[in-house]
Amino acid sequence: MTFSGFDLPDELQMLSDVIADFVRDEIVTAESALDPAVRDLPADVLAGLQAKAKELGFWCLDAPREFGGGGLSAFEMAVIWEQATKHRFSFPHPGAGVFGFSPPVVMYRGSPQQIEEYVRPTIDEGWLSFTAISEPSGGSDPARSIRTTARRSGDTYILNGRKMWATNADHGRYGVVYARTDSAAGRSGISAFVVDAGTPGMSTTSVPVLRNHWTTELTLEDCEIPAANLIGEEGQGFALVQEWLVRGRLAYAAQAVGVATESVRLAIEWAQQRETFGELLAARQGVQFPIADSLVEIEAARLLTWRAAWAHDQGRDARTEASVAKLYGTEMGFRVVDRAIQILGGMGVSKDMPLEHWFRDLRVARIVEGASEIHRYLIAREALGGAALGQRAAAPAVDGVVPRATPA
Ligand SMILES: Cc1cc2nc3c(=O)[nH]c(=O)nc-3n(C[C@H](O)[C@H](O)[C@H](O)COP(=O)(O)OP(=O)(O)OC[C@H]3O[C@@H](n4cnc5c(N)ncnc54)[C@H](O)[C@@H]3O)c2cc1C
């Protein structure tokens, strides 16, 4: 059910419908045949689905066209991610990787050699990669907390340090590691490097977490890599990803909308056929109201996501709008899945249903890609300006009246 009041362009509507059919007919069908304890799509099942998706042209739709991707806009991707998420193993890769794995976005700013050696094969052959920013010292404020160093030595860099949580670092063919090349500079002292899996000096240890994922701790001990593996210039690590921040946040927002929509659909279906005390659940106001609240909140989250995506596509700075969409979308998704679980009772937490999986995914989604508190901080900083950083501004004169000293 949607009451957005917008007609999508025909071509986009058609793509969205075809992806929705593919997810329902192919991915959900494959997932349903698996043992409920299985954590992920088995490699052969994934490969079979990827081949079909590729044939239909649903491949790396978010990656720029110049590198072999679909080149879809942020708005188009917001519509597509919503549909691609409506199945059990949807996080952290929408479509569970069935629609391909795009490289870490900073790689799009790589050298021609890096594009040929890493970006193209990632897109063409579905290589898995990883991104290692967070460290044991923290992930919310990487400009301060990154302690990993990269020291230039002739035509190599030598990396030393520890990274936390890097998803797929034990499965990926390569990864992008953010390290400090200048200990004096803050944000501008951080550089990004491509590191191949198996490089001597790099090791990984699995760090199991709440959801079914492949988080790892990465240790770098005198890990020597070619100087040509620096992405962009020294100190540009964060500057190079700025233009993709909005898309990263919106991917989470749109996925949360998709999962929430599917959860409420399951709750409605259940409430329409389940009877307790001689009445359908659907006839109880205590069941109707959470469904109504969920529908309203889903709609709000979708509109926030579409608005931010649209503004970004117009060339505007939509980082704050994207923070609003990511914050509201993931918090909303978690609430809605929780309500759906409650309506389904025991079946809600059964591994035969996707809800318990999404519940865990969305709990994590409120922490990654900027925790909710970080997005609140970014939104508040935009609204409050320097005062949010504790800077006192001179009090403005009102109607020519010179204000007294600022109150203590
Ligand atoms: C499943 C999973 C996968 C991940 N994958 C990756 C990955 O692939 N690559 C990678 O680099 N990292 C990854 N991460 C790490 C993730 O990005 C960090 O966990 C996240 O950035 C938060 O950092 P932290 O855990 O160090 O918490 P901290 O930064 O220590 O923050 C702790 C808590 O304090 C809150 N907080 C922080 N600052 C403020 C403030 N100013 N005001 C109020 N509250 C604040 C935060 O919201 C958070 O809830 C992953 C994490 C998980 C759980």
Side-chain angles (χ1 to χ4, degrees):
M1 173 182 180
T2 175
F3 37 89
S4 295
F6 293 114
D7 288 331
L8 296 175
D10 287 346
E11 215 174 305
L12 178 57
Q13 185 62 61
M14 215 183 313
L15 180 61
S16 167
D17 292 344
V18 179
I19 296 253
D21 291 347
F22 183 85
V23 168
R24 192 190 54 241
D25 300 342
E26 302 286 347
I27 306 183
V28 173
T29 305
E31 283 177 344
S32 308
L34 297 174
D35 182 323
V38 167
R39 288 167 46 134
D40 229 331
L41 284 174
D44 57 330
V45 177
L46 176 61
L49 290 168
Q50 283 179 330
K52 285 186 189 167
K54 222 171 187 176
E55 209 177 293
L56 292 164
F58 306 155
W59 196 250
C60 289
L61 292 170
D62 58 324
R65 206 179 285 270
E66 61 193 292
F67 305 130
L72 295 196
S73 68
F75 184 83
E76 289 165 332
M77 283 315 303
V79 173
I80 298 306
W81 282 155
E82 186 181 326
Q83 299 307 332
T85 307
K86 293 179 178 177
H87 65 99
R88 183 178 310 212
F89 298 137
S90 47
F91 282 87
H93 302 292
V98 170
F99 303 119
F101 297 108
S102 294
V105 289
V106 68
M107 296 292 301
Y108 298 140
R109 285 277 165 263
S111 64
Q113 185 190 344
Q114 290 163 354
I115 301 287
E116 287 311 313
E117 285 184 14
Y118 297 97
V119 174
R120 288 197 187 283
T122 303
I123 293 173
D124 294 348
E125 294 166 38
W127 282 8
L128 202 57
S129 57
F130 65 90
T131 297
I133 299 175
S134 307
E135 300 203 356
S137 48
S140 297
D141 182 15
R144 283 191 187 80
S145 58
I146 289 183
R147 309 257 194 278
T148 297
T149 56
R151 183 173 52 81
R152 180 83 192 237
S153 170
D155 56 1
T156 66
Y157 279 96
I158 299 175
L159 272 53
N160 276 289
R162 275 166 69 211
K163 293 285 176 186
M164 268 308 275
W165 312 119
T167 303
N168 288 325
D170 48 354
H171 283 56
R173 295 277 291 251
Y174 69 95
V176 173
V177 174
Y178 287 74
R180 198 168 283 287
T181 39
D182 181 345
S183 58
R187 176 166 284 261
S188 58
I190 310 288
S191 308
F193 298 90
V194 194
V195 182
D196 287 306
T199 303
M202 182 174 90
S203 58
T204 57
T205 314
S206 166
V207 182
V209 291
L210 166 82
R211 99 181 146 176
N212 297 331
H213 279 295
W214 311 106
T215 29
T216 60
E217 181 174 351
L218 190 70
T219 305
L220 299 150
E221 280 174 323
D222 290 331
C223 177
E224 193 169 7
I225 57 167
N229 284 22
L230 170 69
I231 304 169
E233 290 171 19
E234 278 194 14
Q236 283 191 325
F238 289 133
L240 292 174
V241 290
Q242 283 297 313
E243 65 185 289
W244 281 283
L245 282 183
V246 165
R247 279 175 171 254
R249 292 169 190 173
L250 293 183
Y252 273 87
Q255 283 176 262
V257 171
V259 163
T261 306
E262 196 56 9
S263 301
V264 86
R265 187 187 69 75
L266 291 169
I268 288 171
E269 260 182 28
W270 185 263
Q272 285 170 331
Q273 51 87 23
R274 185 74 164 182
E275 283 186 21
T276 62
F277 302 96
E279 277 270 35
L280 282 176
L281 283 181
R284 314 271 181 198
Q285 214 170 49
V287 171
Q288 292 166 2
F289 282 10
I291 287 176
D293 286 345
S294 299
L295 291 171
V296 172
E297 291 171 30
I298 288 168
E299 193 62 16
R302 180 181 292 116
L303 291 177
L304 288 172
T305 306
W306 285 9
R307 182 188 68 149
W310 180 81
H312 179 68
D313 290 340
Q314 303 306 304
R316 298 188 201 155
D317 179 356
R319 282 174 294 178
T320 305
E321 281 98 330
S323 277
V324 171
K326 198 272 175 180
L327 168 64
Y328 187 79
T330 51
E331 295 281 336
M332 174 286 300
F334 186 72
R335 277 195 304 275
V336 169
V337 172
D338 185 48
R339 287 179 193 139
I341 287 176
Q342 199 66 18
I343 290 170
L344 270 82
M347 273 311 284
V349 288
S350 160
K351 283 200 179 283
D352 284 334
M353 299 289 289
L355 293 167
E356 64 83 30
H357 197 98
W358 294 337
F359 184 70
R360 289 180 284 126
D361 282 341
L362 280 158
R363 188 63 194 85
V364 172
R366 293 166 57 202
I367 296 171
V368 297
E369 199 67 32
S372 292
E373 291 72 20
I374 300 309
H375 290 295
R376 287 192 179 95
Y377 163 68
L378 293 172
I379 296 161
R381 196 179 66 181
E382 175 76 12
L384 295 164
L389 303 170
Q391 295 159 3
R392 293 185 183 201
V398 180
D399 289 341
V401 178
V402 178
R404 289 164 195 243
T406 315

